[in-house]
Amino acid sequence: MEVRIEPSWKKRLEAEFEKDYFGQLTDFVKQEYSQYTVYPPGKLIFNAFNLCPFDEVKVVMIGQDPYHGPGQAHGLCFSVNDGIAFPPSLNNIFKEIKDDLGKEIPATGNLTRWAQQGVLLLNATLTVRGELANGSANKAGSHQGKGWEEFTDAAIRALAQEKENIVFILWGSYAQRKGAFIDRNRHLVLTSAHPSPLSAYKGFFGNHHFSHTNAYLKQHGKIEIDW
């Protein structure tokens, strides 16, 4: 199957594209886009991969679903397009960065600047059905269990097995389960509560993951991330 994705990722993931689950997933996603509003826009489904080639990955941040509100999702976990109000989790991420590193909260929630520095901002599920215009149809999780999780597991596994000294940032139990197989002797795995308002005060705030990440990168001769 021909999939438009950044060449270094295509090389690692092409075996997935030929598997039965991926064919079924593709059929499902195409049908959803034809019938409903689905996020992100189709051309941005693989945005995380396209902005952060395999050989440039230094940090992996794992989210769950794309945002399902109008104009928010653009293929990077936790990130929103320019001009879009910060969702609560992203707002808490910026608060922790300020407390940890002293950096002021930015004007935009667009995290493309992180991706271009080697941060793979990967949602476990790469698409989601959007809300209806009146906001009555909250469809978070609507594309879970259709095959995306197997695909993103393959991407994480390729990084964990082929590379060394990556920082994996796993916030919340979902991300931690997804990253359970990562070899802690080869990589730095940082875990804490999720930045959601429901859990941020239960261990996310004060986790210092951004300074810990940069210290580890510096220790291993890599350029630190400008968060």
Side-chain angles (χ1 to χ4, degrees):
M1 180 182 296
E2 185 61 31
V3 177
R4 293 181 181 178
I5 191 170
E6 193 277 330
S8 64
W9 279 109
K10 190 169 191 175
K11 177 181 175 183
R12 268 75 180 195
L13 297 172
E14 58 188 351
E16 301 302 308
F17 301 145
E18 303 306 320
K19 292 181 179 178
D20 289 345
Y21 87 85
F22 197 85
Q24 294 166 8
L25 170 63
T26 300
D27 291 343
F28 167 78
V29 169
K30 285 179 178 177
Q31 185 174 0
E32 287 282 294
Y33 273 93
S34 72
Q35 290 184 290
Y36 305 101
T37 298
V38 176
Y39 298 119
K43 65 181 180 181
L44 296 178
I45 291 173
F46 296 113
N47 200 27
F49 300 99
N50 294 336
L51 289 173
C52 191
F54 185 90
D55 293 332
E56 297 177 21
V57 176
K58 298 187 285 188
V59 180
V60 178
M61 195 174 285
I62 298 177
Q64 192 163 352
D65 265 343
Y67 296 122
H68 52 268
Q72 292 179 309
H74 63 126
L76 305 176
C77 72
F78 297 109
S79 179
V80 290
N81 280 303
D82 293 324
I84 299 294
F86 299 169
S89 290
L90 181 59
N91 199 43
N92 286 339
I93 289 169
F94 288 146
K95 285 180 181 177
E96 174 60 22
I97 291 172
K98 183 176 181 179
D99 289 345
D100 189 14
L101 300 173
K103 292 178 68 71
E104 289 303 314
I105 293 174
T108 177
N110 188 329
L111 304 181
T112 295
R113 63 190 184 277
W114 293 3
Q116 292 170 333
Q117 296 177 75
V119 182
L120 182 68
L121 295 164
L122 185 64
N123 276 315
T125 303
L126 298 186
T127 56
V128 69
R129 194 187 298 178
E131 294 176 350
L132 297 177
N134 63 6
S136 63
N138 185 322
K139 293 297 182 181
S142 55
H143 287 189
Q144 291 179 8
K146 303 296 183 181
W148 278 131
E149 295 91 341
E150 187 170 346
F151 176 75
T152 51
D153 277 352
I156 296 166
R157 189 170 285 107
L159 288 166
Q161 292 178 351
E162 286 192 45
K163 294 172 70 76
E164 293 189 354
N165 306 134
I166 291 178
V167 181
F168 289 88
I169 298 176
L170 311 179
W171 292 328
S173 58
Y174 182 92
Q176 289 161 29
R177 287 194 302 271
K178 194 167 180 69
F181 62 82
I182 297 165
D183 185 347
R184 270 67 172 169
N185 294 316
R186 295 180 63 174
H187 306 284
L188 176 63
V189 179
L190 298 175
T191 64
S192 79
H194 194 275
S196 160
L198 297 174
S199 56
Y201 287 96
K202 299 176 182 177
F204 174 77
F205 287 131
N207 65 22
H208 299 291
H209 281 180
F210 302 96
S211 58
H212 289 331
T213 293
N214 280 351
Y216 183 83
L217 294 176
K218 185 176 182 180
Q219 177 187 346
H220 292 279
K222 300 180 181 184
I223 298 173
E224 298 166 67
I225 305 299
D226 180 7
W227 300 106

